[in-house]
């Protein structure tokens, strides 16, 4: 059953452990407005610790993933109310992107269509990303006289090689899903008709993994990139110790199933975590 956020601009449903969260402004190509940003935080809050949610997928209703910021509502109307209103709108947008970046559950972006500018924030916030071959990605800000703000420039330089990021930001040209995969914006690109099946397949693999280990891994990959090797080494030791304190039984069960029972091979699949939870 599909539910709607308070203002109806975000739709979501939970099916077999997967929360499908959709931008729901198809008439605006799912552009992000202050209202949508507030509603998205509400939905993330509602889903994060639900027992029947193991993975979250972010996508868009209609032909777009998200066309970036709503130029009329987010910029013109907000700026007309003064600096305070602009700062609040920024906090609300950046706030749910940040929340998604450090979300408790694994997150996947399913880019079904247009993905522009401000959409790069939540795109990067998701742990994995998959796109339709003919999806369109773009940093079009330069074409209307501003720089790619809202973290979009940072996202480009985090995910793409320097020359690709510079070209992407300066030229204002669109790239399709295949090119986005080649440049590193997404993990994979495939025909639109196959996109949901592939995302579901990946989500189902993640559902079989230890959730404490997944959260620790998500955080570690994001954290260590800016650390020296020695700092990262120390952080990862502490992170593993912290994870053990949350779920030492799960770790021991995985080792037991491998060493004693020989019921799985770590390089070929995951241990049966349900035996610990049962």
């Amino acid at each position: 059953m599909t539910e709607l956020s308070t203002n109806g601009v975000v739709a979501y449903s939970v099916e077999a452990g997967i929360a499908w969260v959709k931008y729901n402004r198809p008439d605006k190509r799912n552009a992000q407005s202050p209202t949508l940003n507030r509603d998205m935080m509400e939905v993330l809050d509602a889903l994060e610790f639900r027992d029947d949610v193991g993975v979250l997928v972010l996508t868009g209703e209609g032909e777009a993933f998200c066309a970036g910021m709503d130029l009329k509502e987010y910029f013109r109307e907000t700026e007309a109310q003064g600096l305070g209103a602009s700062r609040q709108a920024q906090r609300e947008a950046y706030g749910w992107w940040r929340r998604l970046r450090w979300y408790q559950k694994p997150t996947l972006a399913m880019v079904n269509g247009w993905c522009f500018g401000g959409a790069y924030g939540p795109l990067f916030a998701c742990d994995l990303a998959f796109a339709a071959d003919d999806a369109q990605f773009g940093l079009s800000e330069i074409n209307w006289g501003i720089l790619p703000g809202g973290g979009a420039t940072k996202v480009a330089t985090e995910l793409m090689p320097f020359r690709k990021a510079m070209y992407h930001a300066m030229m204002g040209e669109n790239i399709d899903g295949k090119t986005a995969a080649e440049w590193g914006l997404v993990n994979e690109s495939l025909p639109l008709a196959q996109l949901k099946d592939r995302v579901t397949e990946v989500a189902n693999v993640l559902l079989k993994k230890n959730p404490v280990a997944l959260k620790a891994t998500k955080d570690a990959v994001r954290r260590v990139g800016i650390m020296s090797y020695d700092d990262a080494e120390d952080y990862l030791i502490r992170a593993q110790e912290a994870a053990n304190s949350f779920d030492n039984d799960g770790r021991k069960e995985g080792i037991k199933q491998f060493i004693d029972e020989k019921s799985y091979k770590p390089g070929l699949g995951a241990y049966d975590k349900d035996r610990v939870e049962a």
Side-chain angles (χ1 to χ4, degrees), residues 30-94:
N30 297 323
Q32 295 170 144
S33 65
T35 299
L36 183 142
N37 291 330
R38 287 190 290 270
D39 277 20
M40 192 65 81
M41 183 67 90
E42 170 192 294
V43 170
L44 293 181
D45 283 345
L47 295 172
E48 187 166 21
F49 293 99
R50 276 181 51 164
D51 292 338
D52 60 342
V53 173
V55 175
L56 183 146
V57 176
L58 178 66
T59 189
E61 184 65 52
E63 65 178 13
F65 174 72
C66 172
M69 294 307 200
D70 187 311
L71 301 189
K72 180 174 179 288
E73 292 188 34
Y74 186 85
F75 289 102
R76 177 177 287 175
E77 294 180 359
T78 299
E79 289 171 2
Q81 299 173 50
L83 182 59
S86 293
R87 289 289 183 262
Q88 179 180 346
Q90 290 164 352
R91 285 194 298 270
E92 290 169 345
Y94 304 163

Side-chain angles (χ1 to χ4, degrees), residues 104-141:
Q104 187 69 25
K105 312 292 174 66
T107 56
L108 287 74
M110 186 170 79
V111 185
N112 53 305
W114 301 90
C115 181
F116 282 80
Y120 280 36
L123 175 70
F124 177 65
C126 289
D127 304 316
L128 302 173
F130 300 82
D133 288 340
D134 57 359
Q136 294 292 304
F137 293 77
L139 295 180
S140 59
E141 287 86 345

Side-chain angles (χ1 to χ4, degrees), residues 100-178:
L100 192 60
R101 241 183 2 257
W102 304 106
Y103 210 60
Q104 187 69 25
K105 312 292 174 66
T107 56
L108 287 74
M110 186 170 79
V111 185
N112 53 305
W114 301 90
C115 181
F116 282 80
Y120 280 36
L123 175 70
F124 177 65
C126 289
D127 304 316
L128 302 173
F130 300 82
D133 288 340
D134 57 359
Q136 294 292 304
F137 293 77
L139 295 180
S140 59
E141 287 86 345
I142 194 68
N143 294 333
W144 49 285
I146 70 168
L147 60 82
T153 301
K154 176 62 172 172
V155 170
T157 58
E158 282 285 323
L159 297 181
M160 297 189 289
F162 173 79
R163 292 298 180 195
K164 299 296 187 186
M166 190 67 82
Y167 187 94
H168 195 51
M170 292 180 67
M171 295 296 288
E173 297 175 356
N174 297 347
I175 60 173
D176 62 16
K178 290 182 179 179

Side-chain angles (χ1 to χ4, degrees), residues 153-222:
T153 301
K154 176 62 172 172
V155 170
T157 58
E158 282 285 323
L159 297 181
M160 297 189 289
F162 173 79
R163 292 298 180 195
K164 299 296 187 186
M166 190 67 82
Y167 187 94
H168 195 51
M170 292 180 67
M171 295 296 288
E173 297 175 356
N174 297 347
I175 60 173
D176 62 16
K178 290 182 179 179
T179 304
E182 292 170 3
W183 288 11
L185 274 174
V186 298
N187 292 92
E188 297 176 21
S189 169
L190 55 163
L192 179 60
Q194 300 172 22
L195 182 60
K196 186 172 182 180
D197 286 346
R198 175 58 177 150
V199 169
T200 302
E201 177 186 25
V202 172
N204 283 330
V205 171
L206 293 172
L207 286 171
K208 295 177 182 177
K209 311 292 187 188
N210 181 304
V212 173
L214 278 174
K215 172 59 174 166
T217 300
K218 282 159 46 87
D219 291 355
V221 172
R222 290 192 183 273

